[in-house]
Amino acid sequence: MGDNFIYISSRQVRWLIVLSFVFALILDSINIIGQNYLFLPPFTLLVLLYWAGHFLDYTYMGTAFAIGLFADTIYQNTLGVHALIYVVLTFAMLRHRLRFRGYTIWQQSLNIVGFCFIYQIMHLFTLAPKLDDQQQLAYWIMPLVGGVLWALIALSLNRLSQQNVTEN
């Protein structure tokens, strides 16, 4: 898995990166509709962790901050809360991305479950959402859903980035 990305630079797939973030922000706006979608992970976080984990030529810390500010404006939260959470999780990804790249998709998914669980804990302490019993189940099942969706996101972005490089 990780060997496929050794020679790919983030500059070669710049438009794919931008479009994937735009698409993830659109998917994140689904959570605004209601509290019924608490089980959905923040797609921007998953895409951010994908790009930060697979490219060694860029750290994505500034991108994490900017995407976090976009997420704060989408969710109408205190400005900077998601930015802080995204920067902390991106830093954690950068600390072990060399090992992460060598994992299989399912091992990466287990790591993403951990990242999403940390996201939920930080989200709980910073924003303190008011949840009833049914919403709590959906809130805490989100890391597992994030792990499953990671496999789909990683496989599709792997395929798209490899196609983009071979076309150029």
Side-chain angles (χ1 to χ4, degrees):
M1 160 99 195
D3 295 337
N4 296 336
F5 288 92
I6 291 175
Y7 299 109
I8 298 175
S9 168
S10 62
R11 292 180 186 179
Q12 293 173 309
V13 291
R14 182 178 313 143
W15 289 108
L16 179 61
I17 293 170
V18 170
L19 288 176
S20 65
F21 279 125
V22 168
F23 188 67
L25 283 168
I26 291 170
L27 288 176
D28 278 347
S29 66
I30 292 172
N31 286 336
I32 296 172
I33 296 171
Q35 295 294 332
N36 298 332
Y37 300 109
L38 285 174
F39 65 92
L40 289 176
F43 291 100
T44 51
L45 178 65
L46 295 178
V47 171
L48 177 68
L49 291 175
Y50 175 82
W51 294 121
H54 284 85
F55 290 109
L56 301 177
D57 63 338
Y58 192 64
T59 62
Y60 292 97
M61 294 298 279
T63 305
F65 186 77
I67 293 295
L69 290 178
F70 282 127
D72 285 329
T73 57
I74 286 175
Y75 295 131
Q76 298 176 354
N77 289 333
T78 305
L79 198 60
V81 171
H82 281 92
L84 173 68
I85 294 171
Y86 285 10
V87 166
V88 167
L89 290 174
T90 302
F91 179 77
M93 172 58 83
L94 293 176
R95 293 294 294 161
H96 82 283
R97 70 177 164 183
L98 291 176
R99 278 181 296 198
F100 185 81
R101 284 172 41 136
Y103 293 157
T104 65
I105 280 290
W106 300 112
Q107 290 172 325
Q108 288 180 0
S109 292
L110 288 175
N111 279 304
I112 294 300
V113 168
F115 279 113
C116 288
F117 185 71
I118 293 168
Y119 170 84
Q120 287 295 77
I121 290 174
M122 292 178 74
H123 187 263
L124 183 69
F125 285 134
T126 55
L127 295 174
K130 305 276 191 241
L131 304 171
D132 62 10
D133 291 337
Q134 184 180 4
Q135 290 174 335
Q136 282 187 4
L137 177 64
Y139 185 81
W140 290 109
I141 207 164
M142 185 278 291
L144 297 175
V145 174
V148 171
L149 288 176
W150 171 263
L152 298 172
I153 290 171
L155 289 173
S156 62
L157 288 177
N158 281 347
R159 179 165 287 140
L160 288 172
S161 62
Q162 288 174 354
Q163 285 177 355
N164 192 19
V165 169
T166 56
E167 289 175 1
N168 291 335

